[in-house]
Amino acid sequence: TQYYNEFLRIYKPLADTGSNLASSYAVDQEKAVHSKTNQGSYRSLASSVLQRLKKRPFAISEEDVGIDGEWLHPQLKAKENLALDIWRGASKYVQILEELEANRNPIDIPKGSPPPLEETQICDSCQKQFDRKDIL
């Protein structure tokens, strides 16, 4: 009943569906706690879950529901969605293999020993000659 009371408090702003959500999520939460514990550890996990539920803010939408451990704070969801949008937009900045080869970027690590280093070398990009001062 304590889980039910907390879920009822959390889902109160959702009007009519709030009480139905509270009862179903209270049962689901109890099942989750029972599945993760044995007789000796039940009380400890149940009280820590209840404390987290007491700190949880009111639900602001139908998507802002879930039991402890599955529910994600709306601010964290926004950050997660932002990161996902960034990854989706990154494809326009990533070159395909043919573009890398056309721009003469190294694709494979050459086999064998490296060629001997000379003091004067030619730049691969601009073809200008330069003197190397320090060995990297």
Side-chain angles (χ1 to χ4, degrees), residues 2-3 22 24 27 41-42 51 67-68 80 95 99 121:
Q2 291 180 345
Y3 287 149
S24 67
V27 170
S41 62
Y42 171 80
Q51 291 303 315
I67 63 173
D68 183 68
E80 190 176 271
Q95 292 183 337
E99 291 173 342
Q121 290 187 328

Side-chain angles (χ1 to χ4, degrees), residues 22-78:
S23 61
S24 67
Y25 281 117
V27 170
D28 292 345
Q29 186 69 67
E30 190 67 39
K31 286 180 184 176
V33 170
H34 272 287
S35 70
K36 294 177 184 175
T37 59
N38 58 28
Q39 193 173 8
S41 62
Y42 171 80
R43 181 176 277 175
S44 174
L45 182 62
S47 65
S48 63
V49 167
L50 186 62
Q51 291 303 315
R52 285 192 297 271
L53 287 175
K54 287 182 178 185
K55 293 177 183 176
R56 193 160 137 183
F58 293 114
I60 54 176
S61 69
E62 293 287 331
E63 290 81 33
D64 190 19
V65 295
I67 63 173
D68 183 68
E70 294 176 0
W71 173 79
L72 191 61
H73 196 283
Q75 290 176 343
L76 294 176
K77 280 185 185 177

Side-chain angles (χ1 to χ4, degrees), residues 109-125:
I109 297 173
K111 293 182 174 137
S113 61
L117 299 175
E118 300 174 12
E119 290 294 318
T120 304
Q121 290 187 328
I122 297 175
C123 177
D124 289 336
S125 299

